[in-house]
Amino acid sequence: MKPDASGADVQKVLQVIEALGFRGHTLPGENRTAIGVTGNRGSIDPAHFENLPGVADAIRVTKPYKLISKELRPERSVIKVGNANIGGPELAMIAGPCALEDHQQVFATAETVAASGAKFFRGGAFKPRTSPYAFQGLGEEGLKMLAEVRDQFGLNIVTEAMDEHGVDAVVKYGDCIQIGARNMQNFSLLKYVGQTRTPVLLKRGLSATLDELLLAAEYIMAEGNYDVILCERGIRTFANHARNTIDLSIVPAVHNLTHLPVIVDPSHGTGRNYMVTPLARAAVAVGADGLIIEVHPCPEEALCDGAQALTPSQYMELVSQVRALHELISEPVSAFAEGHGP
Ligand code: PEP
Ligand code: MN
């Protein structure tokens, strides 16, 4: 749309899209509003829109993904999660334990995370464990602890949902639904979170290509939830010196193709305590919009992922290092656009 297009002009375009049997998606930007069209099988004649009032241009998106693409929205998206942003000029820090274990562990960790200046707290109440006999998480009881953490420390809550019931519970207690690596291509779950209006942290699948990750994000956005944050968490390769191989080249690749923010998880990406801080620094250096880090008051006693958990003091040191690095390489604030979604 033209910069001076009115709300009525936008509505008119949406009506025309609907009358054709398609779906319109309004994405307001800094200078103009873009309207994406989905549901069409072939190309649509631009003549349907070109001469409507307020329309600047009708552009054919050439990629298999549309709503996430920079062709639709050239400025980077800033996603509001609770009362803080992911994707803006500030480096987003999300930290907390792998799994919520008990009140004492959760609150001790939250105190460290809040003291570090991070704005987001992570912790799984529903855990996707490889073995059915491993600790599966506290379930709703854990989510209630997270809601207490938010009240007490003002931290915004990021937590995983593995199924529709979990999504409903996370929407009730949390600020951001994490879709784990193992569910990245659970298409019915992606559609379900797409129908909520809670932001989604979408982790890259264990063997997913960039295109597969982007199309998974597109699934969520096609349902009308435009608040998606991507996360690189390492992939399976033949290398066995780390739990996974962290693929940092995906960060500039994501920024090249999409307007979505992308964060890095060096905890799952390496699986090794001593590698987490070096790879966190590297992630910031390649332009990641944030980090998600596992911290535990006593890693040797952790019920899940203890080998990659940082102690509180290691975590504090990581934060001071990555903040210094981020300041050094920051892009001008004008690269980002506030406000997103209809
Ligand atoms: C997690 O964040 O604790 C987790 C299970 O991550 P992933 O889905 O990346 O393995
Ligand atoms: Mn974990």
Side-chain angles (χ1 to χ4, degrees):
M1 303 299 289
K2 290 177 182 158
D4 62 353
S6 68
D9 295 341
V10 170
Q11 285 309 317
K12 177 71 197 158
V13 174
L14 290 171
Q15 275 166 18
V16 171
I17 293 168
E18 267 167 43
L20 289 165
F22 309 135
R23 182 163 180 175
H25 303 263
T26 313
L27 297 169
E30 198 174 15
N31 300 313
R32 51 165 208 142
T33 292
I35 304 174
V37 184
T38 60
N40 53 306
R41 299 211 177 273
S43 61
I44 310 171
D45 186 349
H48 287 297
F49 314 106
E50 262 164 3
N51 297 320
L52 294 175
V55 170
D57 205 359
I59 304 162
R60 209 161 269 152
V61 175
T62 53
K63 302 278 186 325
Y65 27 82
K66 303 183 185 191
L67 302 174
I68 64 159
S69 101
K70 267 177 66 173
E71 287 172 88
L72 183 65
R73 183 182 163 88
E75 327 83 83
R76 299 239 188 122
S77 287
V78 177
I79 312 292
K80 196 162 181 64
V81 174
N83 64 13
N85 288 334
I86 300 184
E90 198 181 319
L91 181 73
M93 285 298 307
I94 307 171
C98 175
L100 307 164
E101 297 173 6
D102 56 57
H103 201 271
Q104 198 274 333
Q105 174 245 20
V106 172
F107 276 70
T109 315
E111 208 169 306
T112 301
V113 172
S116 76
K119 300 207 170 130
F120 306 93
F121 187 72
R122 64 147 290 148
F126 304 109
K127 294 304 302 175
R129 303 306 301 276
T130 301
S131 165
Y133 307 119
F135 176 58
Q136 303 286 309
L138 296 178
E140 194 156 340
E141 192 198 331
L143 295 178
K144 288 182 183 160
M145 289 180 195
L146 290 175
E148 271 185 68
V149 164
R150 180 174 44 194
D151 287 349
Q152 190 164 326
F153 296 96
L155 291 163
N156 300 293
I157 302 300
V158 180
T159 190
E160 178 162 358
M162 299 200 298
D163 51 28
E164 296 185 2
H165 159 77
V167 171
D168 294 343
V170 172
V171 167
K172 183 168 165 199
Y173 295 104
D175 299 294
C176 181
I177 308 161
Q178 177 174 323
I179 297 296
R182 290 154 192 82
N183 272 319
M184 189 206 82
Q185 284 190 314
N186 182 339
F187 299 115
S188 61
L189 187 62
L190 298 177
K191 286 184 185 172
Y192 195 76
V193 296
Q195 283 156 19
T196 74
R197 292 297 172 265
T198 301
V200 180
L201 177 65
L202 177 66
K203 299 189 89 176
R204 181 180 183 183
L206 280 76
S207 62
T209 63
L210 171 62
D211 273 354
E212 287 163 344
L213 173 64
L214 298 182
L215 286 166
E218 189 77 19
Y219 259 95
I220 298 168
M221 295 187 75
E223 297 293 329
N225 185 348
Y226 308 115
D227 293 335
V228 180
I229 302 132
L230 304 174
C231 178
E232 162 63 27
R233 49 77 73 208
I235 48 171
R236 285 277 170 89
T237 67
F238 55 81
N240 59 5
H241 57 280
R243 179 179 180 183
N244 291 296
T245 297
I246 196 161
D247 173 20
L248 293 179
S249 67
I250 206 165
V251 172
V254 165
H255 284 152
N256 189 38
L257 292 169
T258 91
H259 53 85
L260 298 178
V262 55
I263 69 164
V264 171
D265 174 351
S267 304
H268 296 88
T270 65
R272 305 264 198 276
N273 173 290
Y274 77 94
M275 292 182 180
V276 173
T277 300
L279 270 297
R281 289 195 301 259
V284 171
V286 294
D289 294 291
L291 295 168
I292 180 166
I293 306 287
E294 287 187 351
V295 195
H296 196 287
C298 192
E300 58 280 15
E301 288 172 13
L303 296 181
C304 184
D305 286 353
Q308 67 199 33
L310 297 187
T311 63
S313 65
Q314 289 171 331
Y315 164 72
M316 291 302 241
E317 176 59 23
L318 175 150
V319 174
S320 79
Q321 291 186 16
V322 295
R323 286 210 195 288
L325 199 52
H326 185 256
E327 208 162 298
L328 198 65
I329 61 160
S330 280
E331 294 189 40
V333 172
S334 61
F336 303 96
E338 278 279 356
H340 190 224

